[in-house]
Structure formats: C-alpha cells, structure tokens
Amino acid sequence: MTRVEFFDQDGRITGFCCEGHSGYAEAGSDIVCAAVTTAIRMAECTINDVCGCRAKTRVNDKEARITLTLPASCDEEETVQAVLTGLMLTLCELRDEYPDYIEVMEVQ
C-alpha cells in the first residue's frame, strides 16, 4: 500500500511523505503508483521550479519514499499552499477510487 502523510502546522501544510508501492499490479504496470508518482512530481516541480520555493526534497528509491519539506517561509506561499492542497485532494480522490491501495493522512 502507498501511504501519504501531509504535515500540518497551525493550518499550514509544511510538506509530505509518500512511501510504499500500492500493490495494485506488477511494477511497470501499476496505474495507482503511476498516478501517485505523476501527481507528486508535478507538485514538487511546481513548488521548486516554478515558484522557486526551494523545498527540501529527499528521495529513497530503495524504500520507495519521497519527502518534501517546505522552508519556514516562501515568497509564493499562497500558491505553494494551493499546490499542496490540490495534491492532497488529488490523492484523496485516488484513495476513494482505490481504497485498498492508497492511504492519505494529515498529521498535525
């Protein structure tokens, strides 16, 4: 199962951690993993490359984990929060469609 945790501090999403393979299908054919990966990549690219936020991103291929942590402040804070909220909603939609393969949580 893929597990995604969004970190919330006083109403501000400060980052997320996504880990694990969904197990929906074999590697290379898993549409759930592909959808999650695409959404995560789009959010990370938008936050760092488009908004210039310089969020810390760590990838561990061996453990199938990616973690993104925002800095304490960002010039494009409103846009970055919109991107992260959109990511959370997208992943919640996937969870609703594939509840046995993805879990989405918000951690305070």
Side-chain angles (χ1 to χ4, degrees):
M1 176 177 280
T2 298
R3 180 184 177 129
V4 186
E5 293 182 338
F6 285 88
F7 306 109
D8 182 291
Q9 186 175 24
D10 300 322
R12 177 182 187 251
I13 301 172
T14 60
F16 61 83
C17 179
C18 177
E19 64 183 326
H21 292 288
S22 74
Y24 181 80
E26 291 182 31
S29 299
D30 193 321
I31 61 171
V32 176
C33 277
V36 170
T37 299
T38 300
I40 295 285
R41 285 182 177 173
M42 189 281 302
E44 189 277 328
C45 287
T46 303
I47 290 166
N48 282 331
D49 300 333
V50 176
C51 295
C53 189
R54 297 185 186 192
K56 182 177 182 180
T57 305
R58 286 181 275 162
V59 178
N60 183 325
D61 289 327
K62 184 177 179 181
E63 296 180 14
R65 179 174 51 230
I66 181 168
T67 304
L68 181 137
T69 307
L70 294 179
S73 64
C74 182
D75 289 342
E76 299 289 334
E77 182 70 27
E78 189 174 321
T79 302
V80 169
Q81 289 301 305
V83 169
L84 289 171
T85 300
L87 174 62
M88 185 186 306
L89 292 172
T90 299
L91 295 174
C92 285
E93 292 276 332
L94 285 169
R95 176 205 56 208
D96 292 348
E97 288 183 53
Y98 302 97
D100 295 335
Y101 303 99
I102 181 170
E103 179 179 22
V104 180
M105 302 173 59
E106 190 170 353
V107 180
Q108 305 260 337

